[in-house]
Every structure is written in structure tokens, then in C-alpha cells.
Amino acid sequence: MDLNCEWCGGKAFEGEGTVYWELPDGSRAIEITATPTVICKECEMAYQSDNVTKEIEDQLFLVDKKKIGSSISFKELMELPRLLKRNYFDFSS
């Protein structure tokens, strides 16, 4: 699948990267490794798609944050058990 960079419009590809995310309660930030990332071949911008951003934010809102250390992989984060089935405070859908 051909991707275009949302920043410059150039050719981009899917890869992985490390991101730093503040927990929803603002208590601390965590490192999330191996996060799906869009990487531009032209401007070299690396960013997460809106879908990945929503997945991370929803999951961080729905899991027991005490089970997350200072660093976690994207896969491990997504596999943590949820306290609720979905984010009942998200009215965007």
C-alpha cells in the first residue's frame, strides 16, 4: 500500500518507532516501544496515524496504569486486560 506523508505529501512507509506518552491522569509519562509509525522518505518525519493514536489513548484510559512500568512495547500495552470494555467517555463515534 502506497502511503503519502501527512506533512509534506512525499512517499512514506510503515515502520516502528518509540514514542513517549503522558498517562491520562497526568501522573507520569511512559515510553512505548515498537509503536506502528509512518516514516517519510523525503522529509524524514516519523509520526503515528490517527488510528494508532486513538488505540493508545483508549488503551491507556482503560487499563490499570499501575501495571505499566516506565517502558512498555506497543504489543504488550495492547494486550493488557481492560477494566472496562470500551471508553464510555469517547463521544466521537
Side-chain angles (χ1 to χ4, degrees), residues 34-89:
T35 304
T37 301
V38 177
I39 303 164
C40 180
K41 295 177 183 179
E42 295 180 32
C43 73
E44 298 181 4
M45 177 62 83
Y47 60 92
Q48 284 62 51
S49 68
D50 290 341
N51 184 48
V52 169
T53 299
K54 181 161 177 28
E55 281 184 72
I56 292 170
E57 289 179 351
D58 282 348
Q59 188 70 351
L60 288 174
F61 190 76
L62 297 171
V63 299
D64 182 359
K65 282 150 266 330
K66 293 178 210 145
K67 294 185 178 184
I68 302 173
S70 61
S71 181
I72 190 169
S73 74
F74 179 79
K75 182 177 185 226
E76 291 170 326
L77 175 63
M78 292 301 128
E79 291 175 349
L80 287 175
R82 292 181 168 194
L83 301 173
L84 298 170
K85 290 183 182 181
R86 66 179 193 92
N87 183 352
Y88 293 99
F89 299 100

